Amino acid sequence: MNKNEFKAELVKCGQTYVSLAKAIGISENTLWRKVNGWNEFTLPEIKKIACELCLDDGRMKAIFFN
């Protein structure tokens, strides 16, 4: 996962870890662990994040599957 690109998209969309975690149905702590590589995102979570951050397929792949 490209953490810097993820954070850039988060800021660009005016989201915070708290608001994004709530929107995709996980805790802020769980989101932090996944962003920092302690755990992996599931495909449904990635899809929800892509929807919340308005990421196209190319941008989603660049962030989550680099």
Side-chain angles (χ1 to χ4, degrees):
M1 174 178 187
N2 189 324
K3 184 167 64 170
N4 291 333
E5 293 295 324
F6 173 80
K7 288 181 179 181
E9 291 294 337
L10 198 66
V11 170
K12 181 178 161 185
C13 290
Q15 293 267 12
T16 64
Y17 274 62
V18 174
S19 64
L20 182 62
K22 186 175 184 176
I24 66 171
I26 62 175
S27 72
E28 180 185 358
N29 190 34
T30 299
L31 178 61
W32 184 89
R33 286 194 316 262
K34 290 180 180 216
V35 169
N36 287 288
W38 292 89
N39 300 95
E40 293 185 8
F41 285 101
T42 64
L43 189 53
E45 289 169 341
I46 292 170
K47 288 179 179 180
K48 288 178 186 177
I49 291 169
C51 183
E52 285 295 317
L53 300 182
C54 301
L55 303 176
D56 62 26
D57 286 344
R59 193 74 180 119
M60 179 182 70
K61 288 176 185 174
I63 292 172
F64 292 101
F65 303 106
N66 58 354

